[in-house]
Amino acid sequence: MSSVAVLTPESFAEHRSGLKDQEITGCVPEDEAYIPTYLEAFPPLPEKGAPGEKAGEQASAWGSKIRPIKASIITQVFHVPLEERRYKDNSQFGEGEEAKVCLDIMQRTGAHIELSLAKDQGLSIMVTGKLDSVMKARKEIVARLQTQASATVAIPKEHHRFVIGKNGEKLQELELKTATKIAIPRPDDPSANIRITGTKEGIEKARHEILLISAEQDKRAVERLSLEKAFHPFIAGAHNRLVQELSQETGARISIPPPSLPKDEIVITGEKEAVALALSRIRAIYDDKKVEAVAPSDSTLHVLFIVGELVCNHCLFRDFREVVNVIWILIYKPFVPVQAKSVMVVEVTAPAWLHRFIIGKKGQNIGRITQQLPRVHIEFTDGEERISLEGPTEEVEQAQAQIQEIIKDLLVRMDYTEVIIDQRFHRHLIGKNGANINRIKEQYKVSVRIPQDSERSGLVRIEGDPKGVQLARRELIEMVQRMENERTKDLIVEQKFHRTIIGQKGEKIKEVRDKFPEVIINFPDPSQKSDIVQLRGPKNEVEKCAKFLQKIIADLIENSFSLSVPIFKQFHKNIIGKGGANIKKIREETNTKIDLPTENSNSEMIVITGKKSNCEAARDRILAIQRELANIKETEVAIPAKLHNSLIGSKGCLVRSIMEDCGGVHIHFPSEGSGSDKVTIRGPVGEVEKAKKQLLQLAEEKQVNNFTAELQAKPEYHKFLIGRGGANIRRVRDKTGARIIFPSPDDSEQELITIVGKEEAVRQAQKELESLVKNLDDVVEDSMVVDVRHHRHFVCRRGQVLRELAEEYGGVAVSFPRTGASSQRVTLKGAKDCVEAAKKRIQELIEDLESQVSVEVTIPQRYHRAIMGPKGCRIQYITREHEVQIKFPERDDSAAGQEAPPQENGDVSSEAEFVPRKCDIITIAGRAEKCELAKAALLALVPITEDVEVSYELHRYIIGQKGSGIRKMMEEYEVNIWVPQPEKQLDVIKVTGLVANVERAKQGLLERVKELQAEQEDRALRSFKVTVSVEPKFHPKIIGRKGAVISQIRKDHDVSIQFPDKGDEQQDLIVISGYERNVEEARQAIQQLVAELQEMVSHDVHLDPRTHARIIGARGKAIRKLMEEFKVDIRFPQPGSDEPDKVTVMGLPETVDNAIDHLLNLEEEYMLSVTETETLAAYMKPPSRYGGGGGAGGGDDSSGGPAKGFVVRDAPWNAGGNKVILHVDCGKHFTLFQTPRDTR
């Protein structure tokens, strides 16, 4: 590190005043002022201290040492080889995808990234920033700029959690460290393989780390030893000393359950050798104590162990025999019951609702007691008003006193109340994200418990401060009363108006909500396409808000009336007017919105929106402009409204043909439902008459074939009249030739049947239908016999078959006897024809049931989901189409891993014979012939796999960017396409799906291959290169200003032109690449340009530097104008040039001479101005600080000479130690003291 020392008069004075008085010796006179030495004036910087130097000592006059600070910014550099680069297009290096990816990573991580291209075309990446940012950036760079490989590593399933670490921290650290993505299977996944994705180097690192973790865990072991509870105290020893010694000796961790826990399992963990040693020692202790034990009777032994456990907790014995002897003495001899009194059980009474307050938040209160009295066991029982305390007498009494004190305090300052609130209000009391209930809790310092919906209870409990409890109760009741007074109202508002009512950024609806703050207004989600707007709030406010919104909606409806006016395209500009004057005037005066089609549109319609009266006024004014501009005639023709649709034709084809045939006239039909018969024709006079004639002729033809009659029939008869599959109505149509139209579900007249056609045909069809309806009105009751075993088929699924019969056969009522009855009689009631048809249909169904067979189809279980289709749609279609029932077997997960041999190219693999299992068999029930058809349909749905030969080099183009290409193909053809891993380099792609889909996908894939091959050929043709040798001095001219010239050449000839870089050896070579013909043309263009440049000459002219700025002008405007005028190039010298007045002019000889003459004239003109300015500046210049004339800098020197400045002795530049005077006001002396600045 370098420093710069700067001395000023003030700092020097401060320095001198701080110096200690020193004895002045030598030949310096006493009356002369003290002159400091160089070292005193400029103390040296501290040097690095010696090894033995103390940290606290000051190294020099500059103060103590500065502690080095560790840099928080780090830099990492790594290399991506060419073969691992994801983007290999070097022609756009620094501008393509790599640059975009790096920019995105820099924004996301905050690290700075620099890319450079190595000689081997590899990528060198330098990442700078904080450690965390650099690691994240490196991980993303590797994932996004480097091709990814993947590998699996298998370790035992129980070791996976050690790879993940606590909260996944170990896994995250490992991914950052190795710059890989590590996928660990879920706990319920039987696989033990861990997948690692990243670079080869990163995968190896990650694999090594994972195997190290697994190896560490392999050294560890866990043993569980079940021993009788009575022997645990002897293994633990007094105060657990024995087990602690055993842990220290073996290095294993031994966990013995406490006496209060009803477990007899001792757990030993640690390294295998340590665990084995500890296990053998514990078994030895157990066996030894068991052998030494006295063998009393069973009941005595039970008492012995209980008392032994108690005694061992309070006494120390050398061995188990001593314990047994003491216990025998206690059992068989009278004793003073001292030990019995040492443990006691006490119950404290406390209200159940206070228990959680006694325990405290996170167990704080009870935890404090148990910490002070660890041998006391405290137990709370839910729903009971008691607390049990167990332990040594003294400690239990202390704990009891403390708990009673807590209870007493809580009873004084706590209270509770219960309120019955209807369950439907609970979610409103809680509020959004608990906002309401949290506010009440914080405001009143209470606890409010609202039961869960599953409890189906309305009891709300409030606990806390007595005053807060009452206030919270009152507020909750008020909220409930308000909600009971609330009303919900639905407004029907067309969805197209919702956005308008809401307004931009919700401004308009905010005004409505501010006006009615107690009303909640909910608009439906746009994706629901609902027209219902819900209002909720107090009854009166909801009504007011509803009226207000209805008024807004009415205004919107009134102002949303729309008219389309056909205006000939050539007149649109006249309607707009100059600067939009005409259209603006019409809009303002009629208060309408007028939209005209764009210039490049073929539409002639002008759309007017607003109030109906205003729209009509605007239309009249626009039509008036058109009439003034051309000989336009408008006429009206009366055509019955019922013929309008037939005249317009499908999508307007008929009326459009008339308009095109008649010179573009406009024919306007009235809106549907208006009831008007008037059709308007507008256009040139002759064409209008022609269109009128054609329209009336077409209407007459339609009239003949468009006679209409209407018939009334009950809606329940319609299906019977239509017949099964339309058989009845088709028979009537074929017989009469008339068209019969039944009402749709949306029509208001559900009983109206319309007959259309020629009059004679319509009359005949009407007569036949009336006869059928008359027969249907004749209600009869009949019965038939149906075997009891078939009854269930008709009444199951909530009587679906019966409902279908009623809908299909004119509402006939079919009644089956009740379940359990032995009767076979079935009653049918309805129209005679309907009853007969229904009986016939029931008989057909019975025949189907009696002839029903079951067929089994064997299809591997793994294909079942594909066969079913989304939501079972494919199976539903087959059952409906073939009238069968299909039953799939239960899924066998244990057999899921046993993969059957795959089907390739439509054939089963011959590697192994397929053995059907129970879970592979699908059952089809129905008629034999229909079952066979359904079976064939099911087998057709089994997916097959076919191989398509595709060159490995084309795989990545077929996959597309981020898999978009292959995903599109899979969606389009409904297949699964498998592309092999890049490292396998296989020339095959597998296509799996239905036979037809696979065939289509195969063809599509081959077509895509042809396209890619054509693109490859095209790229090969575009890669033709030629080098042109051009002198480097001409390169700037060929490039042009801001690359204008070279860009034009590239654009004209569709080529790429590369100039040599600064460091290249051959600076004269220009490389042109593209199609061969284009490259040759571009080369000729460059050579022609060079030839022109070679004819140019270059002359130097000397102009005074003071005039250069005036000649150049503001931002070079003047010199550019001069260069354009004389067709020359003028170059001015750079700042600091050896010849500052030398200006170079280059161009054709005659233009160069003219330009030089002009420049010399300008110099002469500008020099006059420069001379005047300098003369004026000389008069205005202030006197010199050190000059004569008694200036401010004169000081005490009466001679008026320069100031003496500062004097130093023993300076390095003066070996003899002479005095040197330094002028601090002049920089030329002090520049010598400055050391070069550290540029690192």
Side-chain angles (χ1 to χ4, degrees):
M1 181 178 175
S2 305
S3 299
V4 178
V6 180
L7 187 66
T8 63
E10 294 81 1
S11 63
F12 182 73
E14 289 174 6
H15 178 75
R16 283 201 62 184
S17 63
L19 293 174
K20 293 181 180 179
D21 296 334
Q22 298 179 4
E23 187 179 353
I24 301 171
T25 59
C27 57
V28 181
E30 291 183 3
D31 58 343
E32 189 174 331
Y34 175 72
I35 300 172
T37 65
Y38 175 78
L39 289 175
E40 290 172 345
F42 305 102
L45 292 174
E47 295 180 358
K48 188 174 180 180
E53 186 179 351
K54 293 181 181 178
E57 294 177 0
Q58 289 188 349
S60 66
W62 291 96
S64 62
K65 291 183 180 179
I66 299 172
R67 183 178 296 174
I69 299 172
K70 187 178 179 181
S72 62
I73 304 299
I74 67 163
T75 299
Q76 277 196 8
V77 180
F78 54 99
H79 187 71
V80 179
L82 175 64
E83 60 273 12
E84 293 183 13
R85 282 181 59 189
R86 180 162 288 178
Y87 308 102
K88 298 181 181 178
D89 185 8
N90 294 333
S91 62
Q92 291 186 339
F93 182 72
E95 300 175 2
E97 285 298 321
E98 285 177 340
K100 291 178 184 175
V101 168
C102 288
L103 194 63
D104 180 47
I105 294 170
M106 284 196 288
Q107 290 173 349
R108 291 171 62 178
T109 62
H112 178 71
I113 301 170
E114 291 184 14
L115 298 180
S116 60
L117 206 61
K119 288 184 179 179
D120 61 355
Q121 301 301 304
L123 203 62
S124 290
I125 305 169
M126 184 169 73
V127 188
T128 307
K130 293 186 178 179
L131 177 62
D132 186 43
S133 301
V134 169
M135 296 303 287
K136 288 179 181 176
R138 183 173 181 268
K139 183 183 174 184
E140 287 212 29
I141 288 167
V142 167
R144 296 171 67 178
L145 292 186
Q146 201 164 352
T147 53
Q148 302 290 291
S150 65
T152 57
V153 56
I155 63 171
K157 189 81 175 176
E158 58 270 18
H159 294 176
H160 287 190
R161 63 192 182 94
F162 299 103
V163 178
I164 296 169
K166 188 178 181 182
N167 298 326
E169 290 174 1
K170 181 71 177 176
L171 182 62
Q172 290 174 9
E173 182 188 344
L174 197 57
E175 286 182 336
L176 276 176
K177 185 178 176 182
T178 61
T180 56
K181 178 67 179 173
I182 302 171
I184 297 176
R186 296 175 64 84
D188 52 0
D189 190 343
S191 173
N193 289 336
I194 296 175
R195 177 167 287 278
I196 310 167
T197 307
T199 62
K200 291 179 182 177
E201 182 187 356
I203 288 171
E204 286 303 317
K205 285 182 182 177
R207 189 172 180 277
H208 176 69
E209 292 289 337
I210 290 169
L211 290 174
L212 275 181
I213 293 168
S214 180
E216 285 178 13
Q217 298 307 317
D218 277 336
K219 296 177 184 177
R220 301 185 64 79
V222 178
E223 286 288 345
R224 301 177 187 276
L225 186 63
S226 292
L227 300 177
E228 291 92 331
K229 190 81 172 175
F231 287 93
H232 287 192
F234 304 104
I235 294 166
H239 304 296
N240 290 326
R241 283 180 190 150
L242 185 58
V243 76
Q244 287 171 7
E245 289 172 5
L246 197 57
S247 292
Q248 289 174 2
E249 186 180 338
T250 61
R253 183 180 174 187
I254 304 169
S255 176
I256 299 176
S260 59
L261 201 65
K263 283 188 178 181
D264 61 358
E265 191 176 67
I266 297 174
V267 182
I268 311 164
T269 56
E271 294 190 359
K272 288 183 179 178
E273 296 82 0
V275 169
L277 181 61
L279 183 65
S280 63
R281 293 287 298 278
I282 290 171
R283 281 193 179 278
I285 294 168
Y286 171 72
D287 294 340
D288 182 48
K289 300 304 178 189
K290 198 169 184 181
V291 169
E292 291 180 4
V294 183
S297 64
D298 291 343
S299 59
T300 309
L301 184 63
H302 179 68
V303 175
L304 182 144
F305 282 138
I306 293 171
V307 179
E309 223 180 309
L310 179 64
V311 172
C312 285
N313 285 333
H314 297 279
C315 307
L316 293 174
F317 296 92
R318 286 190 300 274
D319 59 17
F320 186 72
R321 192 180 298 280
E322 289 187 35
V323 178
V324 173
N325 290 338
V326 172
I327 292 169
W328 276 108
I329 292 166
L330 291 172
I331 292 172
Y332 290 103
K333 291 185 179 181
F335 57 65
V336 179
V338 175
Q339 293 295 337
K341 289 184 180 179
S342 64
V343 175
M344 67 181 297
V345 178
V346 173
E347 288 187 355
V348 179
T349 303
W353 66 274
L354 272 183
H355 285 190
R356 64 193 189 88
F357 297 105
I358 295 168
I359 294 167
K361 191 175 182 181
K362 295 183 180 179
Q364 286 178 354
N365 296 346
I366 213 69
R368 193 161 51 246
I369 295 171
T370 52
Q371 283 174 7
Q372 294 173 3
L373 309 167
R375 290 189 289 175
V376 177
H377 176 66
I378 304 172
E379 185 178 342
F380 292 78
T381 308
D382 284 344
E384 295 186 14
E385 297 189 345
R386 63 187 179 84
I387 304 168
S388 299
L389 284 77
E390 183 181 352
T393 307
E394 292 181 3
E395 293 189 6
V396 166
E397 287 173 353
Q398 291 178 35
Q400 181 183 6
Q402 290 186 33
I403 290 173
Q404 285 176 341
E405 189 66 31
I406 292 171
I407 293 167
K408 185 178 178 182
D409 177 58
L410 289 172
L411 287 172
V412 171
R413 60 184 183 84
M414 298 290 285
D415 194 6
Y416 82 94
T417 186
E418 293 177 341
V419 190
I420 302 293
I421 296 174
D422 197 320
Q423 201 173 4
R424 70 178 190 273
F425 298 134
H426 287 184
R427 64 189 184 92
H428 301 296
L429 292 178
I430 294 168
K432 190 175 182 181
N433 297 326
N436 295 346
I437 205 69
N438 289 337
R439 179 184 57 78
I440 291 170
K441 286 178 180 178
E442 290 175 8
Q443 185 174 346
Y444 301 116
K445 308 297 181 189
V446 294
S447 171
V448 183
R449 185 190 177 279
I450 298 176
Q452 299 290 332
D453 292 342
S454 57
E455 296 179 27
R456 299 188 179 278
S457 171
L459 189 68
V460 176
R461 188 183 181 94
I462 311 166
E463 299 169 353
D465 178 67
K467 187 177 178 182
V469 166
Q470 293 305 318
L471 291 171
R473 180 177 182 276
R474 188 189 307 162
E475 182 162 347
L476 286 175
I477 291 170
E478 287 175 0
M479 288 173 71
V480 171
Q481 288 172 350
R482 281 202 304 273
M483 283 185 280
E484 285 175 342
N485 186 39
E486 274 189 355
R487 183 188 171 190
T488 300
K489 185 170 184 176
D490 292 342
L491 283 182
I492 305 299
V493 182
E494 286 185 63
Q495 197 176 32
K496 64 182 180 181
F497 296 131
H498 289 187
R499 190 179 292 277
T500 312
I501 294 168
I502 293 168
Q504 192 175 9
K505 295 182 180 179
E507 291 175 356
K508 291 185 179 178
I509 198 66
K510 188 175 181 297
E511 292 175 7
V512 177
R513 284 175 175 150
D514 291 344
K515 190 169 184 178
F516 303 99
E518 295 182 48
V519 179
I520 298 169
I521 306 169
N522 289 324
F523 284 85
D525 191 88
S527 60
Q528 294 177 356
K529 296 184 179 179
S530 172
D531 294 338
I532 298 173
V533 177
Q534 193 180 71
L535 309 180
R536 193 177 79 242
K539 186 176 179 180
N540 296 335
E541 291 296 309
V542 166
E543 288 298 329
K544 289 178 185 176
C545 184
K547 287 179 182 177
F548 183 78
L549 284 174
Q550 283 168 348
K551 186 180 177 184
I552 293 173
I553 294 160
D555 291 343
L556 287 172
I557 293 170
E558 187 181 0
N559 291 319
S560 63
F561 180 81
S562 183
L563 271 179
S564 293
V565 186
I567 299 293
F568 293 105
K569 194 77 175 178
Q570 62 266 32
F571 300 136
H572 283 198
K573 61 181 180 180
N574 303 95
I575 288 164
I576 295 169
K578 190 174 181 180
N582 292 352
I583 199 73
K584 186 178 179 183
K585 186 178 180 183
I586 296 170
R587 283 171 179 160
E588 289 175 354
E589 291 181 0
T590 60
N591 193 24
T592 55
K593 181 185 175 186
I594 303 172
D595 295 317
L596 286 89
T598 56
E599 288 183 12
N600 54 1
S601 170
N602 294 324
S603 173
E604 295 184 340
M605 289 292 179
I606 295 177
V607 181
I608 309 169
T609 309
K611 288 186 178 180
K612 186 176 180 181
S613 56
N614 295 346
C615 289
E616 289 172 350
R619 179 189 61 187
D620 294 342
R621 292 185 63 169
I622 290 170
L623 290 172
I625 293 171
Q626 182 179 241
R627 279 195 293 271
E628 289 174 8
L629 295 168
N631 184 20
I632 301 298
K633 181 184 177 183
E634 183 177 308
T635 185
E636 290 182 349
V637 184
I639 297 173
K642 62 185 178 182
L643 297 177
H644 288 182
N645 284 338
S646 57
L647 290 174
I648 293 168
S650 177
K651 297 181 180 178
C653 60
L654 292 178
V655 75
R656 194 161 54 247
S657 67
I658 295 172
M659 289 193 291
E660 289 171 359
D661 190 38
C662 300
V665 297
H666 293 296
I667 301 174
H668 176 69
F669 286 85
S671 57
E672 193 174 353
S674 64
S676 174
D677 293 341
K678 292 181 180 178
V679 179
T680 307
I681 307 170
R682 185 186 304 113
V685 178
E687 301 298 336
V688 166
E689 290 300 324
K690 184 179 175 182
K692 181 180 178 181
K693 185 178 178 182
Q694 286 192 19
L695 198 61
L696 289 172
Q697 186 179 351
L698 185 62
E700 191 176 347
E701 291 174 8
K702 295 288 181 184
Q703 181 75 30
V704 173
N705 296 317
N706 208 45
F707 183 79
T708 304
E710 293 177 348
L711 180 71
Q712 297 283 338
K714 293 179 182 178
E716 56 264 29
Y717 295 163
H718 289 186
K719 279 203 173 184
F720 179 74
L721 292 172
I722 294 167
R724 194 171 184 195
N728 296 346
I729 206 68
R730 198 181 302 115
R731 189 175 62 252
V732 175
R733 284 175 180 168
D734 294 344
K735 185 177 179 181
T736 62
R739 185 182 171 204
I740 303 165
I741 303 168
F742 285 84
S744 66
D746 298 330
D747 290 342
S748 57
E749 290 288 341
Q750 287 293 308
E751 294 187 356
L752 194 66
I753 300 172
T754 308
I755 310 167
V756 181
K758 291 183 178 180
E759 186 175 358
E760 184 183 351
V762 169
R763 296 295 182 194
Q764 189 179 352
Q766 186 180 11
K767 189 177 179 182
E768 290 213 14
L769 286 174
E770 283 174 348
S771 174
L772 286 170
V773 171
K774 188 177 180 182
N775 291 336
L776 290 173
D777 287 334
D778 184 14
V779 177
V780 296
E781 187 172 330
D782 200 354
S783 64
M784 64 184 295
V785 175
V786 178
D787 197 323
V788 175
R789 72 176 188 272
H790 299 317
H791 287 193
R792 188 174 178 277
H793 173 75
F794 290 93
V795 298
C796 68
R797 289 175 293 172
R798 298 182 181 178
Q800 184 177 345
V801 177
L802 297 180
R803 283 200 303 275
E804 289 173 358
L805 285 170
E807 289 174 5
E808 195 170 342
Y809 298 103
V812 65
V814 184
S815 301
F816 278 78
R818 292 189 177 184
T819 307
S822 58
S823 174
Q824 296 182 353
R825 183 183 176 83
V826 177
T827 306
L828 296 90
K829 186 177 181 181
K832 186 177 180 180
D833 292 343
C834 293
V835 168
E836 289 300 323
K839 282 174 70 177
K840 186 179 177 183
R841 177 60 184 153
I842 291 170
Q843 199 61 45
E844 287 175 4
L845 290 172
I846 292 167
E847 288 174 9
D848 286 347
L849 292 170
E850 287 177 346
S851 63
Q852 200 171 70
V853 296
S854 291
V855 176
E856 291 184 347
V857 187
T858 303
I859 297 173
Q861 178 181 285
R862 66 180 182 276
Y863 297 134
H864 289 186
R865 190 183 295 275
I867 290 168
M868 289 179 186
K871 298 182 180 178
C873 63
R874 292 173 181 167
I875 289 300
Q876 289 169 13
Y877 174 76
I878 293 172
T879 54
R880 189 170 57 250
E881 186 72 15
H882 301 291
E883 297 179 356
V884 294
Q885 293 180 351
I886 301 174
K887 184 180 179 184
F888 280 81
E890 292 293 329
R891 184 172 179 81
D892 185 2
D893 293 328
S894 63
Q898 302 172 9
E899 290 295 333
Q903 284 184 311
E904 294 188 5
N905 302 326
D907 300 323
V908 179
S909 175
S910 58
E911 293 177 8
E913 188 178 349
F914 172 62
V915 179
R917 300 160 299 176
K918 189 177 179 180
C919 62
D920 298 330
I921 298 170
I922 301 170
T923 307
I924 308 172
R927 284 200 170 195
E929 63 275 9
K930 292 184 177 179
C931 285
E932 289 301 323
L933 292 171
K935 180 180 177 180
L938 278 178
L939 290 172
L941 292 174
V942 177
I944 66 163
T945 300
E946 284 202 20
D947 293 345
V948 184
E949 290 290 334
V950 179
S951 174
Y952 160 73
E953 295 174 354
L954 300 178
H955 286 189
R956 61 194 182 100
Y957 301 110
I958 288 169
I959 293 169
Q961 191 173 13
K962 296 182 180 178
S964 59
I966 203 162
R967 198 159 46 243
K968 184 181 177 183
M969 290 184 75
M970 288 196 289
E971 290 172 0
E972 184 179 350
Y973 300 115
E974 296 181 6
V975 294
N976 184 37
I977 301 174
W978 179 81
V979 180
Q981 293 294 331
E983 56 266 19
K984 293 183 180 178
Q985 297 190 358
L986 300 175
D987 293 337
V988 68
I989 290 177
K990 292 183 182 294
V991 184
T992 305
L994 302 182
V995 178
N997 294 349
V998 167
E999 195 57 39
R1000 288 192 306 117
K1002 188 176 176 182
Q1003 293 300 322
L1005 203 55
L1006 292 173
E1007 287 175 10
R1008 178 63 179 149
V1009 168
K1010 287 179 184 177
E1011 289 175 11
L1012 291 171
Q1013 287 172 344
E1015 287 176 11
Q1016 279 188 330
E1017 291 172 5
D1018 183 64
R1019 277 198 295 272
L1021 291 172
R1022 287 182 67 91
S1023 61
F1024 182 78
K1025 288 185 179 180
V1026 165
T1027 55
V1028 183
S1029 178
V1030 178
E1031 291 184 48
K1033 67 179 181 181
F1034 295 133
H1035 288 189
K1037 286 292 180 181
I1038 295 170
I1039 294 169
R1041 180 176 172 78
K1042 295 184 179 179
V1045 177
I1046 200 67
S1047 296
Q1048 191 62 40
I1049 295 172
R1050 285 172 178 156
K1051 184 178 177 183
D1052 292 345
H1053 302 289
D1054 188 23
V1055 293
S1056 172
I1057 303 172
Q1058 297 292 331
F1059 284 84
D1061 293 332
K1062 289 183 179 178
D1064 290 351
E1065 292 179 3
Q1066 296 177 321
Q1067 288 290 313
D1068 60 331
L1069 293 183
I1070 299 173
V1071 181
I1072 311 170
S1073 57
Y1075 293 115
E1076 187 174 358
R1077 181 182 173 185
N1078 295 352
V1079 166
E1080 288 298 330
E1081 291 175 355
R1083 180 170 67 173
Q1084 291 173 11
I1086 291 174
Q1087 286 173 343
Q1088 184 180 348
L1089 189 59
V1090 170
E1092 292 176 2
L1093 291 171
Q1094 285 174 342
E1095 293 178 7
M1096 294 183 179
V1097 297
S1098 176
H1099 288 299
D1100 296 335
V1101 59
H1102 294 275
L1103 303 176
D1104 194 297
R1106 291 172 292 179
T1107 63
H1108 289 187
R1110 295 282 298 275
I1111 294 169
I1112 293 168
R1115 297 184 180 178
K1117 189 175 179 181
I1119 197 67
R1120 274 199 304 274
K1121 185 178 178 182
L1122 198 150
M1123 287 192 290
E1124 288 172 6
E1125 183 181 344
F1126 291 98
K1127 307 294 182 187
V1128 294
D1129 185 39
I1130 302 172
R1131 299 290 177 191
F1132 284 83
Q1134 294 292 332
S1137 173
D1138 295 336
E1139 295 181 285
D1141 59 345
K1142 182 181 175 182
V1143 177
T1144 305
V1145 185
M1146 190 169 71
L1148 295 174
E1150 60 274 13
T1151 58
V1152 168
D1153 292 339
N1154 294 337
I1156 290 174
D1157 290 342
H1158 186 74
L1159 286 172
L1160 292 170
N1161 291 337
L1162 288 175
E1163 181 199 25
E1164 186 179 348
E1165 180 184 340
Y1166 294 151
M1167 277 305 296
L1168 293 172
S1169 176
V1170 168
T1171 307
E1172 291 176 5
T1173 305
E1174 288 182 350
T1175 306
L1176 183 62
Y1179 283 107
M1180 299 296 292
K1181 189 175 180 181
S1184 173
R1185 183 172 176 183
Y1186 297 110
D1196 297 331
D1197 192 354
S1198 58
S1199 64
K1204 190 174 183 181
F1206 295 109
V1207 181
V1208 291
R1209 293 182 290 110
D1210 302 329
W1213 56 83
N1214 189 358
N1218 297 330
K1219 304 173 191 175
V1220 177
I1221 298 173
L1222 302 178
H1223 293 288
V1224 295
D1225 292 50
C1226 181
K1228 66 182 181 178
H1229 289 298
F1230 282 93
T1231 53
L1232 298 174
F1233 291 98
Q1234 297 183 4
T1235 59
R1237 187 167 298 203
D1238 191 356
T1239 57
R1240 284 178 295 174

